[in-house]
Amino acid sequence: MEEAGETETGARTTGAPTGKAARELIARAEQQLDAARAVLADHTRAVDAVHAALVPLLDSLVRRELAAIPVSRLKDVTEGRLRLGAVEQAGYTTVGQVHEANRYELRQIPGVGAQTADQALAAAGQIAHAVRDTVAVRIDVEAPDESTTALVTALHRLVEAGPDVRRAVDAARRLAERLEPALTGASPARGRLRMLFAGRETRAAALAAVASVRTTVAGAAERGLPLLFGQVSVDLLRHPESDLATWVDFELRSAEYYSLLAEMSGVGPDRDAAAGFLPSAMADRVRGLRLDDSHLRVSLRGYQSFGARFALAQKRVILGDEMGLGKTVQAIAALAHLAARGETHFLVVCPASVLINWTREVRARSTLRVLPLHGPERQAAFAEWQGGGGVALTTFDALHTLPAARDGGRRPGMLVVDEAHYVKNPATRRSRAVSGWAGHTERVLFLTGTPMENRVEEFRSLVRHLQPELAPSISTTRGVAGSHAFRRAVAPAYLRRNQEDVLSELPALVQVDEWEEFSGADLDVYREAVAAGQFMRMRQAAYARPETSAKLNRLRELVAEASRSGLKVVVFSYFRPVLTTVREALGATVFGPVTGDVPVARRQELIDEFSAVDGHAVLLSQIQAGGIGVNMQAASVVILCEPQIKPTMEHQAVARAHRMGQIRTVQVHRLLAADSVDQRMLDILARKERLFDAYARRSDVAETTPDAVDVSEGSLVRRIVEEEQLRLATARTEIRPSGLRGT
């Protein structure tokens, strides 16, 4: 009885249950373990399916490459020691032919002995291995076949499951590692008799194991792992609706498919390029930082993960990636990591034109709380942020009105400054305001697409905000030495990657919705058009007052950023007056506009002249005239001034640039006005059957006659006008006592 008493005492001491309570606990633990094992098994099957579809495609690419390599290159591998005269005379003229042969076949050749045959095969194998490390599968949406369809379908499961897959698999592995040995050790605690007759050490070990099981089970439940495992398993087992649905999804999210494909195939960007050619010791230290993505809702590409980790490891830096590589999502990933580690307050400063985009991006790509600090209510919003935390978003012009950290304000866990070249002049008010916050914030991240090696003085000015001790060592000779040398010299404070260095799957399509708020003047024009029921005026209202137009201002910024990177831009609008306004607003090399009145031959001449420009240029085109029958693959930035009633018209216009022959990622920026006809159109069109639209878009009929597949324009127009009239009438009624906001 003494041992029984000790068991009970031991149970009370450790708090570990025995008997029925232990059995119930162990049963729950076994259920969690089964769910974890199921996720791992489902993920393994999904990955195996990708490899099964990928291997034949890679083999085919390798064979094609080897077939173009002369057999004489085998000598290079053996440093000239291999004698191949007899092999060549026997008809083996390429490395591919040797690689496909076997030892017996080669030994049948007169004059070829066992050693020569073995050396030739080994050399061919080495070349094949090297080739396999360099080839990349290109998925052609214009010519899908059985093999690529199988690959896209296999990838679809993992893409559709999203970033939860990685979190679930990592959590499942850790849970299994903890529960498997703990459950084995806790087995004696299932019954009181077993515990009664067990030795003292066995009882103590069992009770300790039960306590470990209980802690692990409780922790898993608190983190919602059982639900996560169940959801991910369902996602990984879900079949796509059809091959067509899979291809449609690939077109919409090709970057995610290619990112996963690079990971699965082991073929990605060069490690040095992905690290922005940082010194190896620094790059290794950055890679060693584990990024916590538990607050992210999106999967990062490898170079994006590196960028977020660079910002976290170096603390005060400039992320200068080329336009279109996702600087915003890298910043959000850094904020999400810090939030997972206990930080609660973050501050983002940006131009007013991208404030809405930042709001939407943070909400869409993370679980972080967002509070815009803009407009007449910004002080109240600032107080709410100070008390409750989250990601505060404000503008350069509003920042100086907020109490800085040095004045008793809350210090953010990270300060992010978008379009940081706005603060290159230290004498400006915006620069002084940013400097005030940066000086009292441990982690500061500047974002700019401007290549700093071409603007060394600007770079030195920005570095003074971040690492003033580094600024004196930055000289113009650094830039003259070339971009790679410059990046290595300023590595502690600067990371830049170019598209051609890190996007191996070119051409890809990156689509961004640029949301803007009406200025007061724009809003007046818009309200008049809505009251009059003039749908076309409603669509153009955002450009009616060029001097205050928010859309036009954002368009200028996008063109300026493209200019700094030497990229060509095509601007599409349905409306000639809008294109005229854009032409007058741009100070760049502008061609066009291409309109319906321009003869087809002249249209192509304009496009050829635009394409022949060395570096940046802008082409303006009516979307109806530039959408069919012309090729604009010289452009890698497409700006849509407004959404279109007929989605096929947008798709066809974008396809003029994003097509075979394009060698750069195509960035599509669609300018949208919040709470307007733009938003109503997108909401209504989004409710249509996506698969039908996509099928129609991919058909030959849609390519030539878009009217045949779009919704009734008349009914759509009437519905939008009526909804906007009702919304604005309701808004005026609700806010009349205090006056119209925004006017």
Side-chain angles (χ1 to χ4, degrees):
M1 294 302 295
E2 181 182 354
E3 288 189 354
E6 288 173 355
T7 301
E8 292 170 2
T9 301
R12 287 194 299 270
T13 301
T14 62
T18 57
K20 181 180 179 181
R23 288 195 297 273
E24 292 175 349
L25 172 64
I26 290 171
R28 290 199 303 274
E30 288 174 338
Q31 289 176 347
Q32 286 189 1
L33 183 58
D34 288 343
R37 287 169 172 166
V39 166
L40 294 173
D42 294 336
H43 180 254
T44 298
R45 279 192 292 271
V47 171
D48 288 346
V50 173
H51 285 302
L54 179 61
V55 167
L57 291 170
L58 287 174
D59 287 345
S60 176
L61 289 172
V62 171
R63 284 196 296 271
R64 188 184 309 167
E65 292 290 326
L66 295 180
I69 300 175
V71 72
S72 58
R73 291 295 301 277
L74 296 177
K75 295 179 181 178
D76 298 339
V77 178
T78 60
E79 298 180 353
R81 294 192 302 272
L82 186 60
R83 297 180 180 180
L84 296 170
V87 174
E88 291 182 86
Q89 290 175 7
Y92 290 85
T93 59
T94 70
V95 172
Q97 290 172 317
V98 174
H99 187 253
E100 295 292 326
N102 58 47
R103 187 170 184 258
Y104 175 78
E105 291 171 339
L106 293 180
R107 289 194 62 184
Q108 299 306 303
I109 301 173
V112 175
Q115 183 177 0
T116 299
D118 289 344
Q119 288 179 338
L121 289 173
Q126 289 182 44
I127 293 176
H129 183 75
V131 168
R132 196 178 192 89
D133 286 341
T134 61
V135 296
V137 172
R138 301 287 191 270
I139 300 174
D140 186 359
V141 297
E142 301 295 335
D145 55 26
E146 185 176 338
S147 297
T148 53
T149 297
L151 177 60
V152 172
T153 300
L155 290 168
H156 174 80
R157 290 188 177 182
L158 291 163
V159 171
E160 187 69 13
D164 283 344
V165 170
R166 185 175 284 105
R167 286 197 288 271
V169 169
D170 289 345
R173 286 200 183 103
R174 290 194 296 269
L175 187 67
E177 289 171 358
R178 292 173 186 151
L179 278 183
E180 285 173 348
L183 284 172
T184 300
S187 183
R190 292 174 184 267
R192 292 186 180 276
L193 284 177
R194 291 180 64 184
M195 290 291 284
L196 179 63
F197 292 106
R200 179 176 299 181
E201 291 184 1
T202 301
R203 288 198 304 273
L207 291 172
V210 170
S212 175
V213 168
R214 183 172 59 183
T215 300
T216 303
V217 167
E222 183 179 348
R223 294 168 57 200
L225 294 185
L227 179 60
L228 175 65
F229 294 160
Q231 289 175 336
V232 169
S233 281
V234 168
D235 289 338
L236 290 174
L237 294 173
R238 182 180 291 119
H239 291 277
E241 299 171 36
S242 64
D243 289 348
L244 177 60
T246 303
W247 278 105
V248 169
D249 192 63
F250 171 77
E251 286 193 71
L252 294 174
R253 299 191 285 178
S254 61
E256 294 181 46
Y257 280 78
Y258 273 120
S259 177
L260 187 60
L261 180 59
E263 180 182 331
M264 294 288 162
S265 63
V267 178
D270 177 83
R271 274 172 62 90
D272 289 342
F277 302 100
L278 296 179
S280 58
M282 181 181 295
D284 290 342
R285 184 166 60 83
V286 171
R287 293 187 187 101
L289 189 152
R290 182 180 178 276
L291 190 67
D292 191 326
D293 62 357
S294 56
H295 288 296
L296 277 182
R297 288 176 170 157
V298 64
S299 295
L300 299 178
R301 308 194 67 156
Y303 74 87
Q304 291 174 334
S305 175
F306 185 92
R309 285 179 285 168
F310 175 79
L312 293 164
Q314 295 299 103
K315 293 187 177 181
R316 302 173 67 86
V317 296
I318 301 168
L319 179 58
D321 284 347
E322 189 177 15
M323 187 179 185
L325 292 182
K327 293 185 287 294
T328 301
V329 74
Q330 294 177 67
I332 293 172
L335 300 182
H337 172 91
L338 292 173
R341 300 303 171 92
E343 293 286 354
T344 56
H345 291 69
F346 308 101
L347 180 62
V348 175
V349 185
C350 62
S353 58
V354 296
L355 189 71
I356 297 178
N357 282 336
W358 265 98
T359 303
R360 291 172 178 260
E361 286 289 289
V362 174
R363 286 174 178 162
R365 300 178 183 273
S366 76
T367 63
L368 304 179
R369 180 179 184 234
V370 185
L371 289 94
L373 312 182
H374 185 53
E377 299 175 0
R378 61 178 175 272
Q379 295 297 341
F382 182 76
E384 182 182 350
W385 172 70
Q386 291 273 63
V391 181
L393 306 174
T394 194
T395 66
F396 287 108
D397 293 333
L399 182 63
H400 77 279
T401 68
L402 305 177
R406 65 170 180 264
D407 301 323
R410 181 66 180 255
R411 294 188 181 187
M414 175 176 276
L415 169 66
V416 177
V417 180
D418 195 11
E419 305 291 353
H421 48 275
Y422 276 46
V423 297
K424 63 185 179 183
N425 184 352
T428 61
R429 185 174 65 183
R430 65 176 58 156
S431 182
R432 291 195 300 270
V434 167
S435 182
W437 279 90
H440 290 78
T441 303
E442 181 183 6
R443 298 180 184 87
V444 183
L445 174 58
F446 280 8
L447 307 178
T448 176
T450 300
M452 290 289 113
E453 56 266 35
N454 298 335
R455 295 168 173 81
V456 176
E457 184 53 44
E458 289 182 19
F459 180 76
R460 188 186 295 116
S461 178
L462 295 182
V463 167
R464 289 193 186 100
H465 291 286
L466 303 169
Q467 300 184 34
E469 70 282 359
L470 183 63
S473 65
I474 301 169
S475 63
T476 53
T477 56
R478 300 289 192 187
V480 173
S483 60
H484 292 180
F486 177 84
R487 293 181 211 174
R488 289 184 181 276
V490 298
Y494 183 53
L495 175 66
R496 178 177 173 87
R497 280 77 56 89
N498 297 325
Q499 288 182 0
E500 62 187 15
D501 292 331
V502 295
L503 293 183
S504 60
E505 77 280 2
L506 295 177
L509 186 66
V510 178
Q511 303 186 68
V512 180
D513 284 347
E514 304 278 355
W515 288 95
E516 309 298 333
E517 287 183 325
F518 278 132
S519 66
D522 292 341
L523 189 56
D524 288 341
V525 175
Y526 183 71
R527 284 173 173 155
E528 292 173 4
V530 172
Q534 296 178 337
F535 181 69
M536 292 304 188
R537 276 188 64 201
M538 291 164 58
R539 295 180 65 198
Q540 299 175 75
Y543 300 93
R545 301 286 187 269
E547 62 278 6
T548 60
S549 170
K551 276 193 179 183
L552 192 59
N553 184 48
R554 182 56 182 156
L555 187 148
R556 287 194 197 96
E557 291 175 347
L558 292 170
V559 171
E561 186 171 355
S563 174
R564 289 191 292 269
S565 297
L567 305 179
K568 288 186 169 63
V569 183
V570 175
V571 179
F572 284 116
S573 176
Y574 186 87
F575 305 100
R576 294 186 193 184
V578 170
L579 293 175
T580 300
T581 299
V582 171
R583 184 179 182 89
E584 292 172 352
L586 294 179
T589 304
V590 179
F591 293 85
V594 176
T595 69
D597 290 341
V598 178
V600 174
R602 177 54 185 156
R603 296 180 201 178
Q604 193 58 53
E605 287 177 4
L606 282 170
I607 294 167
D608 291 343
E609 292 168 6
F610 161 75
S611 303
V613 173
D614 184 14
H616 172 71
V618 179
L619 175 67
L620 307 181
S621 177
Q622 267 191 297
I623 200 164
Q624 313 93 299
I628 299 176
V630 293
N631 298 330
M632 302 174 176
Q633 60 260 41
S636 52
V637 178
V638 176
I639 300 176
L640 302 171
C641 291
E642 71 283 319
Q644 304 304 310
I645 303 174
K646 300 173 181 178
T648 49
M649 194 174 287
E650 282 190 21
H651 296 312
Q652 290 168 345
V654 172
R656 296 314 102 198
H658 182 242
R659 60 187 298 112
M660 297 306 293
Q662 173 60 255
I663 60 171
R664 297 180 66 86
T665 294
V666 176
Q667 306 163 48
V668 180
H669 298 267
R670 183 163 54 173
L671 301 177
L672 303 165
D675 295 324
S676 75
V677 59
D678 295 352
Q679 191 159 338
R680 298 289 87 72
M681 287 173 64
L682 296 187
D683 290 345
I684 291 173
L685 293 172
R687 290 194 287 268
K688 293 175 59 183
E689 176 57 47
R690 187 183 83 173
L691 207 54
F692 170 77
D693 289 342
Y695 175 77
R697 173 162 58 87
R698 290 179 60 80
S699 71
D700 293 335
V701 174
E703 182 67 19
T704 55
T705 55
D707 291 339
V709 296
D710 282 302
V711 295
S712 168
E713 182 176 335
S715 63
L716 180 62
V717 168
R718 285 192 298 273
R719 180 174 177 182
I720 291 173
V721 170
E722 290 170 359
E723 287 187 1
E724 282 298 273
Q725 288 175 335
L726 178 62
R727 183 183 68 82
L728 289 181
T730 302
R732 281 196 295 270
T733 300
E734 290 177 349
I735 64 179
R736 184 167 293 158
S738 58
L740 288 176
R741 182 178 177 183
T743 60

